[in-house]
Amino acid sequence: MSRRKLKVYLDNCCYNRPYDDQSNLTVSLETQAKLFVQGQIRDGCLDMVSSYILDYENSCNPFANRRTSISSFLTLAETFVGADHAQHIQEYAEQIMETGVKEKDSLHVACAIFAKSDYFITTDYRLLKYKSDDIRIIDPIRFVLEYELRDSL
């Protein structure tokens, strides 16, 4: 019996994690886990969700090589939440912000939920504190642990 592919939404800090100082063990492990997730997406084992918020935030990246690399990867998304859904996204994001989540983060989470993602993967430690019945918010390391455990059952 084959399992349904999981839908994952990685936020902007996840995409930028490989460019952070890798001398910190946690950063290095998160980078390796994020690269594993990207490999699973490329191999068709996971479905990736992207959004107009990711496109916008990436377009603001001052480093052209990072911006281009991330933009290229985002084209692999199976699902794209476009600006044509901005009104619904904004309404949901406002509810999320009431819990203390920052605006950009709430927009990302709202897009992920709108797309019916199974997981929202982030390296933002403050955002990891937000809990939702609609989506599992998780760091890349824990995601890989859960994902590999799921495949071993």
Side-chain angles (χ1 to χ4, degrees):
M1 178 170 92
S2 68
R3 293 180 184 245
R4 174 183 70 81
K5 281 198 283 186
L6 295 174
K7 287 175 81 171
V8 297
Y9 185 109
L10 289 77
D11 73 351
N12 194 52
C13 62
C14 238
Y15 287 108
N16 282 287
R17 185 50 104 201
Y19 303 106
D20 293 335
D21 179 4
Q22 299 297 305
S23 66
N24 178 294
L25 181 59
T26 301
V27 170
S28 179
L29 291 171
E30 287 173 344
T31 297
Q32 292 306 306
K34 181 263 188 184
L35 293 173
F36 172 83
V37 171
Q38 278 192 221
Q40 294 297 292
I41 291 166
R42 278 194 184 97
D43 293 345
C45 301
L46 293 170
D47 283 341
M48 180 178 76
V49 176
S50 184
S51 71
Y52 70 103
I53 303 299
L54 276 171
D55 284 349
Y56 170 73
E57 204 167 0
N58 186 50
S59 75
C60 296
N61 191 326
F63 302 98
N65 64 328
R66 297 176 191 185
R67 188 173 56 245
T68 301
S69 177
I70 293 167
S71 182
S72 175
F73 187 77
L74 291 175
T75 65
L76 299 177
E78 290 288 324
T79 304
F80 181 79
V81 178
D84 52 325
H85 300 291
Q87 182 64 35
H88 287 95
I89 300 302
Q90 184 63 41
E91 289 170 6
Y92 200 42
E94 287 173 9
Q95 294 173 9
I96 295 169
M97 282 188 293
E98 289 176 7
T99 69
V101 175
K102 291 192 226 170
E103 184 177 16
K104 278 186 194 174
D105 294 333
S106 68
L107 290 167
H108 283 296
V109 173
C111 284
I113 292 170
F114 182 83
K116 299 186 182 349
S117 302
D118 298 295
Y119 286 88
F120 181 92
I121 305 172
T122 183
T123 58
D124 182 329
Y125 302 128
R126 287 181 298 190
L127 186 52
L128 286 165
K129 294 176 185 177
Y130 174 70
K131 303 297 178 209
S132 169
D133 292 334
D134 298 316
I135 194 165
R136 176 100 162 89
I137 299 175
I138 194 167
D139 69 75
I141 298 167
R142 284 185 180 82
F143 174 79
V144 169
L145 292 171
E146 285 187 18
Y147 178 72
E148 288 190 331
L149 179 61
R150 177 184 191 263
D151 280 352
S152 70
L153 298 178

